[in-house]
Amino acid sequence: MTHLPNLQKNDVEIHDLIIKEEERQRKSIRLIPSENYVSKAVLEATGSVLTNKYSEGYAHKRYYEGQINIDKIEELAVSRAKELFGCEHANVQPYSGSPANMAAYFALSDIGDNIMGLSLPHGGHLTHGWKVNFSGRLYHSYQYTVDAETGLINYDKVHEMAKEHKPKIIFAGATAYPREYNFEKFGEIAKDVGAYFVADIAHINGLIVAGVHPDPVPFADVVTSTSHKAIRGPRGGFILCKEEHAKAIDRAVFPTLQGGPHNHTTAAIAVCFKEAMTEEFKEYARQVVKNAKKLADELNKRGYKLVTGGTDNHLVLIDMIGSKDMPGKIAAKALDKAGIVTNYNTIPWDKRKPFDPSGVRTGTPAITSRGMKEDEMVKIADWMDQVLCNPEDENLQKNIKKQVEDLCDNFPAPGLD
Ligand SMILES: *Cc1c(COP(=O)(O)O)cnc(C)c1O
C-alpha cells in the first residue's frame, strides 16, 4: 500500500479515502475504456513541487520570472510530442480533453459558425456539438450519426451533410465507437467543402502511437487529445497541428481560454511520451487490441449482441437490451458488485434515455496495463456472463468478486504498490 505519512498526519479523511481508492483499483477488473493505470514515474511527476510554479505564456515568452527549469520541461514535452506523433507543432497546456477541443474551436472558427460532429448517443463526445455543451450552445451544430444497420459511420452521408451545411469545422473522434476511423476520408470531405478537419484522438491516442490504429496527423488540420486514457499519462490534454495553425492554437489556449499551465501535469505528460516511445509500450498497445478482440469474440460466443458485431480497437459496446432484454444500468450495477467495473452507455439509435440506456461499454486499456492477456479475457467474459444471466444473485456476485480479487493479485497494477 502506498505510504503517505504527511497526508495521514494532516488530513486523515482524505488519506483514508485515497488508500481505499487504491484498494478498489487494485482489486477490481477495470473495464471502463477511458481509464488506465499510470506508471509510478508519471505519478511522481504529477505529485511534484512543479505545482508551486506560475508560468503564463510559452517557453522563453513568459509573464513571470524563474522559468529556468519550467521552460526546459515544457520544451521536452513539446519536442517529444512532435517526435512521437510526427507533427509540425504541439501545445501541451490544455487542462484536459474538453479544453483542448474548445481551443480548436476558438482557433479555427467564430462563435455562431456551423460545425459538424458525431452525435453523442451515437458515440461522439459532448464537445463535438452536443446541445447542452458549450459546443452546441455557441455554434450551429449539425450532428452526423452512425448507420442504423451496421453501426458504422456512413462517409457518403457525412459528405452530403457537409455539402449542405458548409461547416467551418468537421470533428471526427468518439467515446464509444468500436471501429477504425477513416481519417483520410474525413480529410477529403473537409477539403471538398472548405472546412477544417479536427481529429479528436482522446480514446485511441496510445493505439495511434503504436501504429495499431490509422494516424490522423497527415490528414487533419488539428488533432486534439487527452493525455490520459490509452496513452497512460496524467489527466490533461494536448493539441497537435500543422505549422499554419500553430499561432492560432497557441493563442486560443493562452490567453483566450486559460491562465497558467499546470506544470506538474506538463512534466508528467513529458514522462508519458517518453514511456510511449518504447517498444514495450507498442507491445502493450498491440495487446490492448488483441484483448479487446478476444473479449468481443468470447462475448459473441456466449450470445451477446455487440454494436458493429465486434471491435477493431480497445472498446467493446454491448447491446444489453438486444442480448438479454436488460437495461445497461442494471447490467453495469450487477457487474460492479462482482468487481467488474464498466459503465452503462447509449447504443446507436437507442430507444431508451441517456441516463437509462440500452448498452454497457467495456474496454481493455487498464487490464492490459496489468499484463492480462487472451486467457484472462476468457475468464472475464465467463464471469460477466454468469453475473448477467443472474443479475439478482448476490451470492454469485460475492463468489465472483473473490475470484476477481484472486486474479488481480496475480497481475499487479502499474503505479500501485
Ligand atoms: C474523454 C474525451 C474527451 C474529453 O476529455 P476530458 O479530459 O474528460 O475533458 C474529449 N473527446 C473525446 C473523444 C473523449 O473520449
Side-chain angles (χ1 to χ4, degrees), residues 96-99 101 125 127-128 173-175 200 202-203 226 228-229 236:
S96 208
S98 301
N101 281 341
H125 191 258
T127 54
H128 297 184
T175 62
D200 177 350
H203 262 253
T226 57
H228 39 291
K229 308 196 184 175

Side-chain angles (χ1 to χ4, degrees), residues 337-414:
K337 284 188 193 146
I340 299 171
V341 191
T342 63
N343 69 277
Y344 54 88
N345 212 94
T346 52
I347 58 168
W349 305 102
D350 208 327
K351 292 192 185 73
R352 303 175 64 87
K353 297 205 174 76
F355 198 62
D356 188 15
S358 300
V360 164
R361 194 179 67 146
T362 67
T364 52
I367 51 174
T368 308
S369 288
R370 303 184 78 142
M372 293 186 189
K373 295 215 166 88
E374 285 86 341
D375 287 350
E376 287 70 46
M377 300 309 120
V378 180
K379 275 190 195 149
I380 291 169
D382 193 49
W383 288 331
M384 287 174 74
D385 185 39
Q386 287 187 49
V387 172
L388 296 174
C389 285
N390 305 283
E392 320 244 300
D393 187 342
E394 294 191 0
N395 277 334
L396 176 76
Q397 288 159 2
K398 262 188 220 146
N399 184 302
I400 290 179
K401 192 176 195 320
K402 177 78 184 63
Q403 296 179 62
V404 163
E405 288 177 9
D406 288 345
L407 181 75
C408 288
D409 279 346
N410 292 324
F411 291 90

Side-chain angles (χ1 to χ4, degrees), residues 61-329:
K61 287 169 287 187
R62 306 280 190 189
Y63 292 80
Y64 296 76
E65 293 311 310
Q67 308 294 349
I68 177 166
N69 304 307
I70 299 297
D71 278 358
K72 287 183 186 144
I73 288 168
E74 190 169 325
E75 284 175 323
L76 271 172
V78 167
S79 69
R80 287 175 187 171
K82 291 197 309 206
E83 189 186 336
L84 194 58
F85 290 94
C87 58
E88 293 173 14
H89 180 77
N91 185 308
V92 294
Q93 292 193 6
Y95 296 144
S96 208
S98 301
N101 281 341
M102 198 172 197
Y105 283 96
F106 274 75
L108 301 175
S109 65
D110 293 308
I111 288 172
D113 280 345
N114 289 358
I115 59 107
M116 266 175 64
L118 178 62
S119 164
L120 179 82
H122 290 254
H125 191 258
L126 281 165
T127 54
H128 297 184
W130 190 241
K131 50 197 177 234
V132 299
N133 184 258
F134 84 87
S135 55
R137 296 180 60 175
L138 300 186
Y139 301 89
H140 284 112
S141 165
Y142 296 92
Q143 301 258 279
Y144 56 91
T145 56
V146 296
D147 187 81
E149 287 297 307
T150 61
L152 301 173
I153 289 167
N154 181 330
Y155 293 90
D156 292 336
K157 283 227 174 106
V158 173
H159 198 168
E160 265 170 45
M161 212 174 154
K163 279 194 215 162
E164 185 185 344
H165 299 298
K166 293 261 177 297
K168 199 69 173 284
I169 305 178
I170 300 176
F171 268 83
T175 62
Y177 188 64
R179 297 293 178 176
E180 283 176 355
Y181 266 98
N182 189 337
F183 290 127
E184 186 171 8
K185 200 80 163 232
F186 268 105
E188 286 167 13
I189 293 169
K191 198 168 257 167
D192 186 54
V193 301
Y196 292 117
F197 169 34
V198 177
D200 177 350
I201 60 167
H203 262 253
I204 51 173
N205 43 26
L207 307 187
I208 288 167
V209 303
V212 291
H213 187 288
D215 176 9
V217 168
F219 312 113
D221 291 285
V222 171
V223 175
T224 58
S225 186
T226 57
S227 50
H228 39 291
K229 308 196 184 175
I231 202 165
R232 227 157 49 178
R235 198 152 279 261
F238 60 91
I239 304 174
L240 317 170
C241 67
K242 303 219 185 295
E243 194 55 48
E244 63 183 288
H245 301 304
K247 267 214 177 101
I249 286 291
D250 285 353
R251 243 187 278 125
V253 174
F254 174 85
T256 303
L257 295 171
Q258 298 187 176
H262 293 178
N263 296 311
H264 54 303
T265 301
T266 307
I269 288 174
V271 174
C272 149
F273 287 160
K274 187 169 182 184
E275 291 174 355
M277 283 174 194
T278 60
E279 190 46 45
E280 198 186 338
F281 185 84
K282 292 196 174 69
E283 187 49 42
Y284 158 72
R286 286 192 284 269
Q287 191 64 46
V288 166
V289 175
K290 283 188 209 160
N291 282 351
K293 283 180 186 289
K294 183 69 179 171
L295 184 64
D297 283 350
E298 292 298 317
L299 289 168
N300 264 329
K301 263 192 223 163
R302 288 165 178 78
Y304 289 84
K305 187 169 169 220
L306 307 180
V307 172
T308 79
T311 183
D312 294 327
N313 58 23
H314 64 301
L315 184 145
V316 179
L317 189 54
I318 311 168
D319 174 358
M320 281 307 304
I321 291 288
S323 305
K324 295 234 172 291
D325 202 20
M326 181 192 299
K329 206 182 215 172

